[in-house]
Amino acid sequence: MKNNIFTKIGFSLFAITGVLFKSQKINLHSHELSVNGYLRTGIGWSGGGQMVNFNAPESIHKFRLGNEANHYGELQFNYRYKNRDSVNLYEVSYMMSKFIPYGSNDYKQFPETAQLYGKINKVIKNANLWVGKRYYDRRNVEMLDYFWLNSGQNSQLGIGIENYQVKNSGNLNLALMRFKYGNNDAHSYVTDFRYLDLPLSEYSKLNFLGQFSFKNRNNIKVTPKSSGYSLGGWWTYSKKNITHTSTVIFRKGSSITESAYTGKTMPENIDGTSIYQLDNSSSFDVINNFVYDDKRKHAIQVALTYQYRNLGVKNTDGSNILLNNISRNWFSIGFRYLYYLDKHFNLALEAGNDYMKNNRSGIEGSLQKITFSPQISWDYGYYSRPVLRPFITYAHWSQNFSGLIGGSDFNTRLLKKNNGISFGLQLEIWW
């Protein structure tokens, strides 16, 4: 208990530091230093014990409001060198990050290096050259914390050209990332090409993605080399109080990643069990993300996500006769609504449904979750931070999911049930 108190105190001090440094810059002639970051921390309980997450089996994504049983922080330091015209010529950024589940004492270890990279700006036609380890132009659905495009996170090294301007027709971006697996010679490589912000009208734009990936043979885990590719695009619309993004992405082979929090290739074997055959596997995603915010009375985000994943292997009967392909379907739909009472106070309601089906395990069912929170905020705005959230959450799930939802290493009280309640207090801030 004492260690948990120290954890909360440490994260609170981190938050205070962030507020003090928010939007602050130190300028010394041609040199500029700045600090930015992100933090969420709090306390919570589920079923009379340590707070747990309510998320569907085999999915790490969930509707976040009142449903994040962890502390997480990022702190980034930036150096920029400017010329006499105040144009950024050189940049260096370093970011540390730390993730601690509720109930864990893992606060003594030093935060990991999440980003460390340098940039030379305006090398060719305003294009920037970068090299290092970085979060490379991540795209997400904030309500789900679902990074549907995240090519560079956890890379060992990357290099790229970004923002190469095409006259009146958007910009081109090209990057190459290298990933390392364990303490052996297994590596994977991802080439990422993007054509961004191709104008369709005054308010809408098209974006295109093409990737090629390669993973070499792992002699320790005895997995073959594999290759893969991704093709996709997204349409964005932004006008007055509305923003909307519609996305379609197809992935094949080694371009299928472990999760939305890394660009690493999905492992073929876990604890000696064959999970994927990458050369035969594929994934198809459809994402819609809509936000309306008048910053006076109402704000709402609506998200719809569908993912079909073919694992590349087949089910067999008792005689080892190959049957249907093993696949997984995930469908998620939900909303978060804010009613502004004034600049610093709003009422938030979030509700969502997740459906999951896996024809290998035979697991099929759904999870419903609803949260209410009277939020204390810094200003009007759906994305305004910092925000302090007292919350209460109710979740209900299919009987087939019993024992698979509502548990953690620190609380197993809900594992025999098909519903649960969480309540607590969360602070979230970015700057």
Side-chain angles (χ1 to χ4, degrees), residues 63-89:
F63 290 95
R64 298 175 60 188
L65 186 66
N67 197 26
E68 293 180 295
N70 56 69
H71 313 277
Y72 180 68
E74 297 174 344
L75 186 62
Q76 179 165 309
F77 301 92
N78 309 289
Y79 164 78
R80 295 180 177 89
Y81 173 78
K82 299 183 177 184
N83 64 12
R84 293 180 180 179
D85 298 323
S86 296
V87 175
N88 289 336
L89 295 181

Side-chain angles (χ1 to χ4, degrees), residues 15 23 27 121 142-143 154 158 163 181 190 194 212 214 216 238 252 264 267 300 418 428:
S23 301
N27 291 285
N121 297 317
E142 194 273 339
M143 182 167 57
N154 294 319
N163 198 39
Y181 299 81
V190 177
R194 303 183 194 184
F212 176 77
F214 174 79
N216 67 357
S238 179
K252 179 74 174 176
K264 286 188 173 183
I300 186 169
N418 70 337
E428 185 178 36

Side-chain angles (χ1 to χ4, degrees), residues 348-400:
L349 180 70
E350 182 180 274
N353 180 82
D354 284 290
Y355 167 83
M356 182 67 71
K357 178 181 179 180
N358 186 322
N359 69 357
R360 176 180 5 220
S361 61
I363 292 176
E364 180 179 5
S366 59
L367 161 70
Q368 297 83 38
K369 170 261 179 194
I370 186 167
T371 298
F372 172 71
S373 173
Q375 299 188 132
I376 301 170
S377 62
W378 188 265
D379 199 352
Y380 289 111
Y382 184 85
Y383 295 109
S384 175
R385 301 295 186 272
V387 61
L388 185 66
R389 304 184 178 109
F391 64 84
I392 182 166
T393 296
Y394 173 75
H396 178 276
W397 51 92
S398 301
Q399 196 63 44
N400 287 345

Side-chain angles (χ1 to χ4, degrees), residues 9-20:
I9 292 174
F11 271 85
S12 297
L13 291 174
F14 185 99
I16 293 170
T17 301
V19 172
L20 292 176

